[in-house]
Amino acid sequence: MRKIESAKKLSYVHSDIRGSLFMEAMRMEEQGIDVLKLNTGNPAAFGFELPESVRAALDGQEALGLGYCDFKGMPQAREAIYDYEAGKGISGFTSDDVFIGNGVSEVASFALTPLLNDGDEVLVPAPGYSLWSNSVYLAGGRPVFYICDEKADWYPDIQDIRSKISPRTKALILINPNNPTGVFYPKEILIRIAEIAEEHNLLIFSDEIYDRLVMDGLKHTSIASLAPDLPVVTMNGLSKSHCLCGYRCGWMVISGPHNLTEEYKQGIRQLTSMRLCANTLAQLVIPAALKDTETPNSMVMPGGRLYEQREAAVAELKKIDGISFVKNNSAFYLFPKLDIQRFNITDDRKFAKDLLHAANILLVPGSGFDWQMPDHFRIVMLPEKEVLRNAVKRLGVFLDHYHQT
Ligand SMILES: Cc1ncc(COP(=O)(O)O)c(C=O)c1O
């Protein structure tokens, strides 16, 4: 028998968050080395606890999740999601246009697969969370990267978006707030993106999984709320706002004129019904979690863990020569820039590997986020502030003498 080969389409797929550097960190841990793993946005791994609202919602209710539910999701959960997204100003949808899945990670492919024919193009942000470029490839499409501009607070570059549109462009993906930059976008930028979508008949996908984790008294706007006449697929979930990554609970909402999206939604129904339903236990907690605004708010307000950890990380980073950054205002991440001339960096994976070996800190290099230059890396701001402060100090000490060879 011939050896079993993997499909060619996998050669484009990359997951650096749990990729070879992560394996190397695991190997080091097996040898008894204590590695600070700043590679995933997984709050539970850093001591964030189960919210009381979620515990109470599950208590004694487990039997309710015994059977398969509606392939779109449990009605009470979809109603709660409807209320949440409508509360953000999104219109032109009902709870029948809500599809619940096992995390945004799963929902992404349910959204892309029914849209794309082989070779269709999708505008994807760079830097951006690689789930999106990977999912476009796997759905048969081709991601075309548009730049988020560091010099403009990491906002999407409107000119660049326009220049990348071709007759094959079908959709535009927005990650708002963005992972890895940790910034979210003002209304003016969102309106300009909506105008482009209307002009070129693009479906907008907006991944808003960090929308409740916004700091500094600011408020997140959903692009769908500014574009009631456009089809928009808004994604969200409980992994981050309620620290429930392991529950695998995400959703998408398709808003805008029904006559434009009916055929597309039929494709989604086909796919989601094929896998019967999403995890029901996680859906049981959706109504209570979405009412529980205290859990996310308490993390991002002054005195809250995320806020204080960001302040600690930023204060230490400022002290490092050869690093610059845009201060983040949301999510769990910072995406600092390295002075590559000073450190002679030509390979950001090598930089991350050298840091791992020298300082026992695991970071994801910028290339893991579809960033083309070797000059960035991502910091996850989830460890307690003293741990984070210490880690950034160690990074500074490492860089004091670093010269890539
Ligand atoms: C922007 C973004 N979208 C989606 C996800 C995955 O979310 P889920 O846990 O709902 O699959 C992540 C996880 O880090 C993320 O950063």
Side-chain angles (χ1 to χ4, degrees):
M1 190 174 156
R2 258 185 289 135
K3 101 176 157 162
I4 312 295
E5 291 176 345
S6 63
K8 297 273 177 293
K9 61 183 174 232
L10 279 185
S11 55
Y12 299 111
V13 170
H14 64 101
S15 175
D16 296 273
I17 288 164
R18 299 214 167 165
S20 58
L21 275 172
F22 175 70
M23 297 313 228
E24 175 66 5
M26 300 294 278
R27 203 189 48 77
M28 289 167 66
E29 284 190 328
E30 272 164 26
Q31 291 174 353
I33 301 167
D34 195 14
V35 176
L36 180 63
K37 293 200 283 308
L38 298 182
N39 61 317
T40 79
N42 181 8
F46 297 93
F48 286 78
E49 289 175 353
L50 181 70
E52 203 36 55
S53 59
V54 173
R55 188 193 309 278
L58 273 182
D59 193 22
Q61 303 301 304
E62 296 83 353
L64 292 178
L66 215 49
Y68 295 129
C69 69
D70 187 311
F71 61 87
K72 294 194 292 293
M74 288 172 153
Q76 317 86 293
R78 282 188 286 118
E79 284 299 336
I81 291 167
Y82 173 84
D83 289 344
Y84 177 74
E85 302 290 358
K88 288 197 69 183
I90 302 179
S91 58
F93 75 109
T94 71
S95 61
D96 272 338
D97 302 311
V98 175
F99 292 83
I100 300 173
N102 298 311
V104 169
S105 308
E106 183 191 53
V107 167
S109 59
F110 288 143
L112 290 165
T113 305
L115 179 75
L116 300 178
N117 290 312
D118 285 354
D120 280 345
E121 294 173 5
V122 179
L123 292 161
V124 178
Y129 183 55
S130 63
L131 163 74
W132 284 106
S133 54
N134 289 337
S135 302
V136 169
Y137 282 125
L138 290 173
R142 195 170 82 80
V144 175
F145 296 102
Y146 69 84
I147 295 295
C148 294
D149 183 3
E150 187 166 23
K151 291 196 208 77
D153 289 333
W154 284 121
Y155 296 160
D157 182 329
I158 300 296
Q159 275 315 104
D160 194 52
I161 291 177
R162 283 195 179 280
S163 74
K164 304 255 163 90
I165 293 171
S166 85
R168 295 222 61 176
T169 314
K170 279 256 180 92
L172 178 144
I173 290 166
L174 203 58
I175 305 176
N176 180 33
N178 180 282
N179 173 5
T181 64
V183 304
F184 69 101
Y185 308 134
K187 283 186 186 167
E188 309 81 71
I189 293 281
L190 300 176
I191 288 171
R192 295 185 69 191
I193 290 174
E195 284 167 0
I196 295 176
E198 183 165 24
E199 230 174 276
H200 296 275
N201 294 305
L202 307 182
L203 178 56
I204 298 173
F205 295 104
S206 187
D207 177 346
E208 303 184 353
I209 195 159
Y210 298 101
D211 73 334
R212 280 149 289 178
L213 297 176
V214 159
M215 289 177 259
D216 307 327
L218 300 167
K219 213 170 158 315
H220 179 268
T221 302
S222 292
I223 189 166
S225 71
L226 302 173
D229 298 331
L230 294 186
V232 180
V233 183
T234 304
M235 278 108 181
N236 211 319
L238 298 182
S239 290
K240 314 296 176 173
S241 60
H242 291 73
C243 309
L244 296 177
C245 291
Y247 278 43
R248 311 310 299 124
C249 185
W251 58 82
M252 64 179 157
V253 167
I254 297 139
S255 59
H258 286 271
N259 59 329
L260 300 182
T261 53
E262 194 38 48
E263 188 177 315
Y264 169 63
K265 279 190 290 200
Q266 185 48 30
I268 297 176
R269 287 183 208 112
Q270 252 175 298
L271 285 185
T272 47
S273 59
M274 202 177 76
R275 64 81 164 97
L276 304 174
C277 72
N279 174 12
T280 52
L281 285 179
Q283 295 182 52
L284 286 174
V285 310
I286 292 176
L290 286 180
K291 270 197 212 102
D292 170 14
T293 50
E294 171 65 17
T295 291
N297 289 347
S298 64
M299 292 193 267
V300 293
M301 64 175 52
R305 272 193 67 177
L306 281 183
Y307 180 89
E308 297 301 330
Q309 288 160 198
R310 182 214 32 193
E311 293 300 295
V314 159
E316 283 307 322
L317 268 178
K318 276 189 187 152
K319 297 180 192 162
I320 303 179
D321 286 336
I323 279 192
S324 58
F325 61 94
V326 174
K327 186 176 177 182
N328 57 345
N329 57 19
S330 44
F332 304 152
Y333 314 106
L334 270 160
F335 199 53
K337 179 174 185 176
L338 292 157
D339 180 339
I340 46 174
Q341 256 120 39
R342 178 188 180 119
F343 303 117
N344 195 40
I345 294 175
T346 52
D347 178 347
D348 63 350
R349 283 165 209 260
K350 176 156 174 24
F351 159 76
K353 198 167 177 183
D354 291 343
L355 177 74
L356 175 62
H357 288 151
N360 304 337
I361 297 172
L362 174 65
L363 297 171
V364 180
S367 51
F369 301 95
D370 296 315
W371 188 247
Q372 302 305 318
M373 295 282 290
D375 58 353
H376 281 78
F377 62 93
R378 184 185 77 168
I379 295 184
V380 170
M381 313 182 307
L382 286 172
E384 293 277 6
K385 78 179 176 193
E386 279 318 314
V387 178
L388 196 56
R389 191 174 280 142
N390 183 273
V392 180
K393 274 197 181 121
R394 272 151 60 202
L395 168 70
V397 171
F398 166 79
L399 282 173
D400 272 347
H401 304 288
Y402 188 64
H403 190 84
Q404 194 166 94
T405 48

